[in-house]
Amino acid sequence: MFQSETLKIVPLTSNHANDFHHLIQSNLKTFEGYLPITVVNTKTLKLSHQLIKKKLESARKKREFLFVLKEVHSDKLIGFVLLKKIDWTLKQGEFAYGISAAASGKGFMSQAISFLSRYAFDHLGIHQLQIITHKTNLGSVQVAMKSGFCLLYT
């Protein structure tokens, strides 16, 4: 779907369930404060597989789309971006995302959000995107600003 020298973005498949589980569970401190539902839904490998199955069904029905981020040189899953709350009538959606502590601050997520924003506009017909983040989540705020999003309120 997208590949730069350092980052690969691909749509979620059932083959990603184990790696997705490992990503969340090995980065609990990073994710539990901002993505508690994802943490709960990936607590066990079985739950992770169930979550992936639900996300794939949601993508099939065009309700939401989950993309995984991989480092090119290692092919390791380092993060994800979820395009959710899609309103096809209003042509709008919302991004949620997470990245491993080890990959944080290296520009991967800004690169992913920039690419996936263009993808949503050009290929899905979305006209408006939003990112809702807590003001204390400085990394997420920086990603949004670097990716061209405007701060509306805190």
Side-chain angles (χ1 to χ4, degrees), residues 25-109:
Q25 294 305 307
S26 62
N27 289 276
L28 286 175
K29 287 184 180 178
T30 302
F31 296 129
E32 63 191 353
Y34 301 112
L35 300 166
I37 295 170
T38 302
V39 169
V40 168
N41 288 327
T42 57
K43 206 164 205 65
T44 67
L45 194 52
K46 182 178 179 180
L47 285 172
S48 295
H49 280 271
Q50 290 171 353
L51 174 67
I52 297 305
K53 187 176 179 180
K54 287 178 190 174
K55 295 299 182 188
L56 290 171
E57 180 62 17
S58 289
R60 191 183 68 73
K61 293 180 177 179
K62 298 186 177 189
R63 285 192 219 137
E64 62 182 20
F65 301 95
L66 184 58
F67 302 90
V68 295
L69 314 181
K70 293 183 164 199
E71 276 186 304
V72 169
H73 76 277
S74 68
D75 205 42
K76 182 178 179 181
L77 198 149
I78 59 168
F80 62 92
V81 176
L82 177 64
L83 175 55
K84 63 181 190 169
K85 296 186 180 178
I86 300 172
D87 184 323
W88 292 107
T89 303
L90 297 175
K91 299 186 183 301
Q92 63 186 29
E94 177 184 325
F95 282 130
Y97 45 83
I99 194 157
S100 71
S104 183
K106 296 181 179 177
F108 293 123
M109 192 56 72

